[in-house]
Amino acid sequence: MDEYIPDNQSAGTTESLAYKLERNTGGFINRLEQLWQKRLFRLFLGFVALCLLAWLLIWVIFARDLPDAKTLQQYEPPLPTMVRAYDGEPVHSYARERRVQLEYAEYPALLVRAYLAAEDRTFFEHGGLDYPGIASAMISNISSSGRPIGASTITQQVAKNLLLTNEVSYRRKVREALLAYRIEEVLTKQEILELYLNQIFLGRNAYGVQAAAQAYFGKDVDQLALHEMAYLAILPKGPSNYRPENNEQRAINRRDWVLGRMLENGWIKKEQHDRAVAQPLGAIRSGGARFERVGGYFIEEVRRQLIEQFGENEKAGPFSVYSGGLWVRTSLNPELQEYTKDALRTGLLRYSSGKGWSGPINKIEIDNKWAQRLASTFIGTDYADWRIAVALKREGNGAEIGFSDGARGRIGGAPSGLAAGDIIAVSPAGGSNYILRNVPKVSGGMVVQNPRNGRIWAMQGGFDDRMSSFNRATQAERQPGSTIKPFVYATALDHGMTPATLIVDSPFCVYQSASLGRKCFQNFGGSRGAGEQTLRWGVEQSRNLMTVRAANDAGMENVVKTIKTMGIGDYKPYLAFALGAGDTTVEKLTNAYSMLVNQGRELKPTVIDFVQDRHGKVIFRADKRICEDCNLDDWDGHSMPRPKPAGKQLMDPMTAYQMVNIMEGVITRGTAQNLKSLDRPLFGKTGTASGPTNVWFVGGSPDMVAGVYMGFDQPANMGGYAQGGTMAAPIFKQFAEKAMAGMPKTPFIAPRGIRMVKVDRKTGKRVFGGWPSDDPKSSVIWDVFKPETEPKRSIRKEDLLARLEAKKAQLKASKIAARNRDAANASRNNGPAQNDSDFLQDEGGIY
């Protein structure tokens, strides 16, 4: 039951509460009013309001959009991409900022102290700002109307370099100070120094101390002497102010000042100081390339593929080429690259010799800045002792020339076409005299590939990549001529022909269409047909008429399908493409020949093996094969695990081997016999495009395949004497003499099912009585056949009977002649006529 409360009691309670509230509130307001009457209280409130307003204004004007200092905990500076050869040796770097990132512990203590002495002596003591320095800077700025200065600590410099802009203003200085406080809260002093030493710009395109140590002294930081450390420590204030080339004494004075500060702080002893001060500056003249220049065209192809996959700069993502710090393992073999470059250059010069001066490489304007203009073209060469120069003016029958470093010289016997401003190649002739050199107008490309996995070992895309960056090995589309024929005959082998199939080598005409009319083909040089010959002979002697007959019989639709499947090109089914009228690149064709050696299995030409990010994680791998059980901790008792074969089977393995075996005959008795002296199992095919405009050779061994072509960039007639066997094959030979020296003489391995049969080389018929000899032109050879396609053990009955009758007629004629010579001895006779068994025995067995 609820308790009863009288009405009068409830009203009294409510009145009492209201009174209490009024009394308490009134008392508080009264106290405020009393305080407000006091002047000090009003001043205090005004000060607090001003502080709040100031803080609000600071936040709005300076701190509202400041970056988060915590991002520095995950900060990764832009790093160059390092390129390595097949053996892991560094060969190149892609960099717009030369930088090497080190950890704080990797920097010598004296080096750190040198930077502290020069930049921020109290770094380990302050909380981000140097207040005495700020006060001094404020006084200087008030008394000067010039560029504002400030006593920036190392922390402030990190804030400016990594999180802010280089804007010159008081607003930026305030933002810098605020951010410095934040950085000190989230990073240790050692972490701040690590960022600073890895990031600062020190001239000569060097970002960070390690890169600067290489640029100025050719050393790593742990090899620097004290006086060298002190010099590097003066560079953050303005590298151009202390350039050793033109401000050496100024640099020495500033260096000695740093050494003095280190002595004052007790960081070095007096003996160390005096010994360092006595040293010359010691900086090398130029920071130069860290790596010897290797594989120009190859390295550029790697760069192009990396940019296509990962992007060029940080905007493209964390793995960009010029800031991602990638580690790239390539398939480049520097030794083979040099052999390739030398062989192609020799071939180009050999063709150009005796043809006169081909003209200038390029042209520039001649004025008082000609040296800078020449340097800015970046045209160069590393061939022999050649140098790039510019013609300044003609002098009699010679000309004055100049070099990019401002030096001058003279050439005698200058051609009439040489004019001022022409960029030329010259070589020393003693003193200031030089000889004009002829850069070949003809060009070409060469690729060397591993036929087991498609890795490209070497690539040369012209005479010199610094004269022309156009890579003719991968970008030049050229007619391959007869080097396309192996794929025509491979189609024929897949459609019923054999190496011993007889094909007529005689004029062949075909009606193409109403618009194209009748087309008649001819052999190279217009040579007459040789009648019926074996398919093998047609390949070895590169007979056009036999090729178009084989293509016609196999069907051009099938031929162009084979060519497309092998990655050479996508052509229309016209017979002209069977003779190499379609365009392709030397890289594509070399890869197709490698697939023949690889027994018809697909290969992808690659120049990059794998790519790692800056932390070592693999982010790209060319070989994507999966090897099950390859990482077992212990042997499981089964056979060794191996990756599954890569790629699809694009051609019948037996067909591929048949073509390789047939092309071995091109070397031993065909159009590339000049390669026989290499004395090892080789296959290959020469090619000469119509005109002739291009000459080719593609071939190699079971371990190495190379392709090379020569021709003008704007297709032009190379001369009637130009042939693949006499111009392109010698380039391959020069390369192979060095590249294959010491390599085992490995034979080409036949796939399962291939049958080796003795045949008559000329007729293609099977032989049982003879035996192949070492002579490549032996009448009896081993030939390769698919099962059930080899020549049969007997010949047709009518052929055998005809040969028996012919033998009998020959014997009868012999008897008559004998009787006429010895009519007096009528009783004598030559015995009975031979029977069929005697005839076959004389012939050496059944055909």
Side-chain angles (χ1 to χ4, degrees):
M1 183 175 179
D2 294 336
E3 183 180 359
Y4 173 74
I5 300 175
D7 293 340
N8 59 347
Q9 186 178 348
S10 176
T13 303
T14 303
E15 182 179 353
S16 176
L17 288 173
Y19 173 75
K20 288 179 180 180
L21 286 173
E22 182 180 355
R23 183 188 62 190
N24 292 339
T25 303
F28 176 74
I29 293 174
N30 289 334
R31 283 196 295 272
L32 283 179
E33 290 176 348
Q34 291 173 6
L35 288 173
W36 184 254
Q37 300 300 323
K38 297 179 181 181
R39 185 170 179 271
L40 288 177
F41 179 73
R42 293 199 303 273
L43 290 174
F44 173 74
L45 287 181
F47 176 75
V48 171
L50 286 174
C51 288
L52 292 175
L53 179 60
W55 182 250
L56 179 62
L57 290 174
I58 289 173
W59 183 84
V60 171
I61 298 173
F62 301 108
R64 179 168 53 90
D65 56 349
L66 276 178
D68 189 353
K70 291 183 178 180
T71 59
L72 293 178
Q73 293 176 322
Q74 291 82 37
Y75 175 74
E76 294 181 335
L79 291 178
T81 289
M82 304 298 296
V83 181
R84 297 174 179 266
Y86 78 104
D87 56 359
E89 283 296 313
V91 293
H92 194 77
S93 67
Y94 304 120
R96 295 200 174 111
E97 296 180 359
R98 183 187 302 178
R99 179 185 281 111
V100 179
Q101 186 175 11
L102 299 180
E103 294 182 358
Y104 175 76
E106 296 179 271
Y107 287 104
L110 270 182
L111 178 63
V112 174
R113 287 171 177 168
Y115 275 93
L116 295 182
E119 295 293 317
D120 191 355
R121 183 179 60 84
T122 61
F123 173 75
F124 282 100
E125 301 167 11
H126 63 64
L129 297 178
D130 178 12
Y131 293 105
I134 292 174
S136 175
M138 289 178 65
I139 294 172
S140 299
N141 290 334
I142 291 172
S143 61
S144 173
S145 59
R147 177 188 176 99
I149 64 172
S152 293
T153 63
I154 285 178
T155 310
Q156 288 176 273
Q157 293 182 53
V158 169
K160 181 190 71 173
N161 293 336
L162 301 183
L163 299 176
L164 299 176
T165 66
N166 288 323
E167 172 193 3
V168 180
S169 67
Y170 290 108
R171 180 177 181 272
R172 198 264 297 164
K173 294 298 293 183
V174 174
R175 288 163 59 83
E176 183 182 292
L178 293 172
L179 195 53
Y181 268 121
R182 296 186 182 182
I183 291 174
E184 292 276 352
E185 291 176 355
V186 298
L187 298 178
T188 66
K189 291 288 188 179
Q190 290 76 14
E191 289 172 334
I192 294 171
L193 272 175
E194 181 180 311
L195 287 170
Y196 175 75
L197 295 173
N198 283 328
Q199 183 68 25
I200 49 174
F201 175 65
L202 299 173
R204 290 191 176 180
N205 199 34
Y207 290 79
V209 180
Q210 168 62 18
Q214 284 289 340
Y216 288 96
F217 299 107
K219 299 178 180 180
D220 292 327
V221 290
D222 59 353
Q223 300 171 329
L224 292 172
L226 176 58
H227 69 281
E228 295 168 337
M229 296 177 183
Y231 171 71
L232 294 181
I234 71 175
L235 296 176
K237 281 287 190 279
S240 60
N241 298 329
Y242 306 109
R243 293 179 61 187
E245 296 86 357
N246 47 20
N247 291 316
E248 183 174 5
Q249 189 55 50
R250 184 178 183 183
I252 291 175
N253 294 340
R254 183 68 176 177
R255 178 203 69 180
D256 294 348
W257 175 82
V258 171
L259 291 169
R261 293 287 297 269
M262 294 178 74
L263 179 63
E264 291 174 13
N265 294 329
W267 293 338
I268 59 174
K269 296 179 180 179
K270 185 69 166 59
E271 296 80 8
Q272 291 176 287
H273 170 271
D274 295 344
R275 190 164 51 249
V277 167
Q279 296 293 327
L281 197 61
I284 59 179
R285 181 170 178 80
S286 174
R290 184 177 177 185
F291 308 112
E292 182 181 351
R293 197 170 188 281
V294 176
Y297 284 104
F298 190 106
I299 294 298
E300 176 58 22
E301 179 64 16
V302 171
R303 188 187 75 91
R304 186 189 65 78
Q305 292 189 17
L306 288 172
I307 289 177
E308 183 177 323
Q309 184 158 359
F310 299 111
E312 187 169 356
N313 51 46
E314 59 271 12
K315 294 180 180 178
F319 306 133
S320 61
V321 173
Y322 286 101
S323 62
L326 306 179
W327 292 84
V328 182
R329 178 70 69 89
T330 71
S331 55
L332 173 69
N333 185 315
E335 188 177 41
L336 295 182
Q337 178 65 35
E338 285 300 305
Y339 298 156
T340 301
K341 179 175 67 175
D342 292 345
L344 182 60
R345 283 178 168 179
T346 301
L348 299 177
L349 289 168
R350 183 167 49 237
Y351 174 83
S352 299
S353 63
K355 290 183 170 58
W357 186 54
S358 60
I361 303 169
N362 209 326
K363 293 181 73 70
I364 62 171
E365 181 184 348
I366 298 299
D367 54 19
N368 58 355
K369 295 184 178 180
W370 60 265
Q372 296 94 314
R373 293 183 189 277
L374 179 60
S376 65
T377 64
F378 297 103
I379 295 174
T381 183
D382 58 359
Y383 180 75
D385 59 353
W386 288 17
R387 295 182 65 185
I388 298 300
V390 61
L392 300 177
K393 61 181 178 179
R394 294 193 64 93
E395 294 178 342
N397 66 342
E400 183 184 9
I401 60 173
F403 301 95
S404 58
D405 60 1
R408 297 175 183 246
R410 188 181 185 281
I411 57 173
S416 58
L418 182 67
D422 286 347
I423 298 177
I424 56 177
V426 298
S427 63
S432 61
N433 294 318
Y434 291 83
I435 301 172
L436 177 65
R437 293 301 182 183
N438 188 31
V439 178
K441 206 73 172 178
V442 70
S443 197
M446 187 170 180
V447 169
V448 182
Q449 188 175 26
N450 184 338
R452 294 189 175 91
N453 50 35
R455 297 170 70 220
I456 293 177
W457 280 326
M459 176 187 297
Q460 185 69 12
F463 187 81
D464 198 307
D465 65 296
R466 284 177 291 178
M467 294 184 185
S468 171
S469 60
F470 181 64
N471 189 345
R472 295 156 190 85
T474 60
Q475 296 174 295
E477 298 276 348
R478 297 289 183 268
Q479 291 185 353
S482 295
T483 51
I484 202 70
K485 290 179 180 177
F487 305 96
V488 177
Y489 286 107
T491 308
L493 293 174
D494 277 338
H495 287 79
M497 294 190 185
T498 74
T501 297
L502 294 176
I503 304 174
V504 178
D505 182 28
S506 65
F508 182 82
C509 298
V510 61
Y511 179 78
Q512 300 179 102
S513 66
S515 58
L516 297 175
R518 183 178 175 85
K519 168 72 175 177
C520 290
F521 297 89
Q522 62 180 7
N523 285 319
F524 179 79
S527 61
R528 299 173 60 186
E532 272 195 337
Q533 300 290 341
T534 63
L535 181 150
R536 172 182 288 273
W537 185 87
V539 177
E540 292 174 354
Q541 304 304 320
S542 196
R543 307 296 283 190
N544 290 349
L545 294 174
M546 295 178 68
T547 305
V548 293
R549 285 184 184 275
N552 189 65
D553 291 348
M556 271 307 296
E557 292 83 1
N558 297 320
V559 171
V560 295
K561 182 179 179 181
T562 298
I563 292 172
K564 181 179 180 180
T565 300
M566 299 300 283
I568 300 171
D570 189 2
Y571 308 139
K572 299 292 184 181
Y574 300 142
L575 281 173
F577 291 117
L579 300 179
D583 290 338
T584 190
T585 67
V586 69
E587 179 192 48
K588 292 178 182 178
L589 198 55
T590 302
N591 187 66
Y593 273 67
S594 291
M595 287 192 283
L596 292 178
V597 178
N598 200 38
Q599 297 187 353
R601 186 170 287 278
E602 180 184 24
L603 292 174
K604 298 290 187 183
T606 61
V607 293
I608 300 173
D609 291 344
F610 60 87
V611 179
Q612 297 168 281
D613 66 13
R614 66 175 70 206
H615 303 295
K617 180 182 178 181
V618 176
I619 57 176
F620 168 81
R621 187 184 296 276
D623 187 354
K624 296 181 174 62
R625 292 179 297 167
I626 298 175
C627 181
E628 297 177 359
D629 299 332
C630 280
N631 294 321
L632 290 177
D633 294 333
D634 199 2
W635 182 45
D636 61 358
H638 298 94
S639 58
M640 179 183 294
R642 298 181 183 276
K644 295 180 180 179
K648 299 177 292 185
Q649 193 69 46
L650 301 182
M651 181 183 287
D652 184 337
M654 289 187 283
T655 299
Y657 177 75
Q658 282 180 302
M659 284 314 308
V660 170
N661 185 272
I662 291 171
M663 283 191 283
E664 286 188 82
V666 175
I667 309 296
T668 56
R669 51 184 171 263
T671 57
Q673 293 184 57
N674 51 355
L675 302 180
K676 281 197 301 183
S677 59
L678 293 172
D679 189 28
R680 64 172 55 248
L682 292 174
F683 85 114
K685 185 72 185 73
T686 58
T688 307
S690 296
T693 56
N694 301 293
V695 293
W696 291 72
F697 176 82
V698 187
S701 72
D703 305 307
M704 183 184 297
V705 175
V708 58
Y709 95 90
M710 281 176 56
F712 293 99
D713 287 342
Q714 297 298 323
N717 194 311
M718 297 181 66
Y721 58 89
Q723 296 183 39
T726 58
M727 289 188 175
I731 295 175
F732 172 84
K733 183 177 182 180
Q734 179 181 332
F735 161 80
E737 285 174 341
K738 294 181 179 179
M740 295 184 177
M743 288 177 60
K745 298 181 179 180
T746 309
F748 293 95
I749 305 300
R752 187 187 303 274
I754 278 289
R755 300 190 180 184
M756 309 293 292
V757 179
K758 290 181 295 181
V759 300
D760 182 277
R761 180 171 61 85
K762 292 186 177 180
T763 65
K765 293 182 177 181
R766 192 165 186 169
V767 173
F768 292 92
W771 195 261
S773 70
D774 293 334
D775 181 6
K777 295 187 178 180
S778 170
S779 60
V780 179
I781 62 171
W782 290 108
D783 215 338
V784 288
F785 297 90
K786 298 175 184 176
E788 306 301 327
T789 66
E790 65 271 24
K792 301 303 180 185
R793 295 180 63 86
S794 62
I795 62 176
R796 292 183 298 177
K797 182 176 181 180
E798 54 269 27
D799 290 341
L800 181 60
L801 291 175
R803 294 178 65 181
L804 289 172
E805 292 300 324
K807 188 65 174 178
K808 290 177 181 179
Q810 181 182 357
L811 292 173
K812 184 176 180 180
S814 298
K815 290 178 183 179
I816 294 173
R819 283 197 297 268
N820 291 337
R821 286 194 304 268
D822 195 6
N825 193 5
S827 61
R828 297 179 59 185
N829 60 69
N830 291 328
Q834 285 188 330
N835 58 26
D836 292 349
S837 297
D838 294 333
F839 165 70
L840 293 173
Q841 186 66 33
D842 289 344
E843 291 295 298
I846 299 176
Y847 276 74

